[in-house]
Each structure stands twice: as C-alpha cells, then as structure tokens.
Amino acid sequence: MNLFTPFESRDVTARNRVMVSPMCQYSCEEEDGLATDWHLVHLGSRASGGAGIVMSEATAVTPRGRISPKDLGIWSDNHAEALQPVTEFIESQGAVSAIQLAHAGRKASTNRPSDGHGPVHGDRGWTPVGPTADPWPYADDEPLATERLDTDGIARIVDAFADAAARSVEAGFDIVEVHAAHGYLLHEFLSPVTNTRDDAYGGDFEDRTRLLREVVTAVRNTVPEGMPVFVRISATDWLPDRDSWSVGDSARLARDLERLGVDLIDVSAGGIHPDQQVPDTGAHYQVPYAERVAEGGVPVGAVGKITTPEGADALIRNGRADLAVVGREHLKDPYFAVHAAEKLGYDAPVPRQYTRGF
Ligand SMILES: Cc1cc2nc3c(=O)[nH]c(=O)nc-3n(C[C@H](O)[C@H](O)[C@H](O)COP(=O)(O)O)c2cc1C
C-alpha cells in the first residue's frame, strides 16, 4: 500500500490517496453563494493536477450558515446547477469530486480574511445561530448578537443538511463530507466549551453528539447507498485547562459514526475558542490524532502540514492514515500529486494534453 494505491469506499474508487483539503475561497462574486469561474478553475486545476479526491470548500447548507458573505452555498437548486460544471470537469480529469457541507454556526457573518476578518455588522451581515446565545468572542470587535437554536431550529438544520446532500448528488458529486470541525455549528454542539444546553441536545456525550448523529443519519438516508459519507472533526479543542472536547471523545464518536454508515473520518483539530493552546504545528502535527481515531477501525484522513511526496507516501505506507489530505501545499502547487508521482517513481496522472511537459 502506498500513496498511489487506489482508495476504495463503497462504489467510489479514487486513483490515489491524495485528497485536496477543503479550503474556503470566499469567491462568490454576488454574495449569493453561487459557484463562479473561480471555483471551476480552482477545483478543476487540482483535478488536472492529479489528486485522487478533489474536495470543495465549506459549502453552506443555508444562507446563515456561511462564514462570510462571499462563501459558496448549496441551499437551492440553482446552487447545485452552478456546481455541475465543476463536478463534470473533475470527473473528466479522472478525479473523484467531493463536497464539504457546512454550517458556520456562531462563527458566521464574518469578513473574509483578505477583508480583515472581524464580524460583518449591518445590512451585509446577519444573525448567527448556535447552541446558546453566547456569541463568538472577537478580540477587537463588538460581538454579533447570536440566536440560540430551539428544537424546531435544530430540526431545520438537520433538514438543511439532508436537502444539501440531495442537491450534491444532483450536482454530480461522488462523496459528501459533513463539516463538524473548527468551531462551526456541529462542533459547537459537540464541545462542552460551547454547548451548555440542558435539553436533549446538551449535557453528556450522548446529548452533545445527538445533532451530529441526526445530521449524519439524515445525510446517509438521503444519498445513494454507494456514495461515501465522510465527516471532518476537530479531534481536540486544544483547551486542556477546561472541560473540553478531547481525542478520546473523538475516538468514541468515530465508532458511533461508523455504525451510522460514515465511511471516513477526516481528522483536523481546534477552532472552538480563541483561548485554544495550539501546540507546535510542525510537519504532520495532527497525524497522531488520526491514528488515535483509527484505533476503532474506522478509515481516516490525516491533515496538517503534509507538504512533501515522501511524507505523504510514508503516512500511507506505514498505515498511519488511509488518505493524505493536503491543504496549503495545493495552493502553492496544484500539481502536487503529479509531482509526487514523478518524484517517487509511480505512474504520474499527467493530463493527456500536458504529457510533453513531463
Ligand atoms: C485558505 C484556507 C481555507 C480553509 N478553508 C477550510 C474549509 O473550508 N473547511 C475546512 O474544513 N478546513 C478549511 N481549512 C483548513 C484546511 O482544510 C486544512 O485542514 C489546514 O490548512 C491544515 O492543512 P495544511 O497544513 O495541509 O494546509 C482552510 C485552510 C486554508 C489555508
């Protein structure tokens, strides 16, 4: 087994084990969540670049679930239609397309990084929702009034993920990933740092994980049997000084999710609170979390400073992960997988049009 051994999950086979990590592009021109030429060229280039799986950025299941006004969305049939050329092109390049379904929760209505982060107040902004009315604590800005979801609101979130999954199938995606990491809505319900509810959706592990389990069940019941469902989690809140989400919780959750038909856990970390104590983020810094989650037998993707062909290949060869999920290195080099294959001596997935260049 190596980086270029095909990855099989249900009816889907990826040509290799390089996955493009979901990365927000904040590039919807009209602030309407519709995919543009940027999304086609950005995701399409990574497909031409040889990745096995090309994952979209966090794609909002409702308008209020966007991180910024410029985020991609999939809350209407028009959104699915706008994404269809993207999935068709990815497929034409021999890659598998995946979509990350997301809701930003209390971290919604913020400026994109290139506009200076911070909350969007006023007409361009909106009221975020969360497990409680506690807002995201901005360091230098007035927090946004945040709405606590009641049980009807929670039911609508579950429906929104299911509807988004149905539209993802219509749009031609091969895999759906539920985003339950980085301090966004589903993570906010998982973590005792942000979830202090005392109803069926807050309290002990069972109650805090209920919303994610409902979302995953609804998504699994919506998409075809042969379509893989992934879930991205933050393995730890990086808040050892308080009651918080731990790697042990993640390992337990992964086993529960596998029983509900989840095919892979994409193991990231952090994002729940600005007080987080981020450890040394050297090469492969989150891989030990993926290994711990994999102990229960569920396939895992490892992410975080995987930047070299040798490093990515070693992860797979040594059985530390099933997928090497590569983020920022793909921003620098859309051809990461082709270059990796060339360097490591595997058959490089070079587009037919470019063979004379390699
Ligand atoms: C520009 C940018 C946008 C990102 N957007 C998302 C996102 O939409 N969803 C997500 O789960 N993670 C997102 N991330 C996190 C990455 O997917 C990845 O987990 C992180 O960058 C660590 O991997 P890396 O060291 O390979 O970049 C983003 C990261 C970057 C740099």
Side-chain angles (χ1 to χ4, degrees), residues 278-332:
V278 182
D280 176 22
T281 55
H284 299 193
Y285 63 103
Q286 292 173 148
V287 172
Y289 307 143
E291 287 182 295
R292 179 77 193 281
V293 169
E295 277 171 17
V298 49
V300 293
V303 67
K305 286 225 180 122
I306 301 169
T307 59
T308 65
E310 295 81 359
D313 194 38
L315 277 181
I316 307 299
R317 281 182 177 277
N318 297 331
R320 302 185 73 195
D322 297 276
L323 291 178
V325 185
V326 177
R328 285 164 291 182
E329 196 61 24
H330 266 127
L331 299 182
K332 285 198 284 188

Side-chain angles (χ1 to χ4, degrees), residues 227-302:
M227 186 174 192
V229 174
F230 295 179
V231 175
R232 176 167 269 205
I233 60 168
S234 281
T236 163
D237 285 342
W238 282 330
L239 285 166
D241 62 346
R242 65 195 78 168
D243 187 22
S244 60
W245 185 261
S246 69
V247 186
D249 291 329
S250 294
R252 180 175 166 192
L253 175 70
R255 288 191 295 273
D256 290 350
L257 294 180
E258 191 182 33
R259 277 193 288 275
L260 297 175
V262 168
D263 301 290
L264 178 131
I265 306 289
D266 177 0
V267 186
S268 190
I272 200 73
H273 197 277
D275 289 349
Q276 67 181 7
Q277 295 164 33
V278 182
D280 176 22
T281 55
H284 299 193
Y285 63 103
Q286 292 173 148
V287 172
Y289 307 143
E291 287 182 295
R292 179 77 193 281
V293 169
E295 277 171 17
V298 49
V300 293

Side-chain angles (χ1 to χ4, degrees), residues 189-192 195 200-213 243-257 259:
F189 272 80
L190 295 177
S191 173
N195 186 350
Y201 292 93
D204 63 10
F205 179 91
E206 277 301 303
D207 288 338
R208 281 184 282 109
T209 59
R210 186 179 311 281
L211 173 57
L212 177 57
R213 287 186 283 110
D243 187 22
S244 60
W245 185 261
S246 69
V247 186
D249 291 329
S250 294
R252 180 175 166 192
L253 175 70
R255 288 191 295 273
D256 290 350
L257 294 180
R259 277 193 288 275

Side-chain angles (χ1 to χ4, degrees), residues 21-24 57-58 100 179 182 232 303-305 326-328:
S21 203
M23 283 180 286
C24 285
E57 67 197 84
Q100 188 184 48
H179 192 354
H182 302 166
R232 176 167 269 205
V303 67
K305 286 225 180 122
V326 177
R328 285 164 291 182

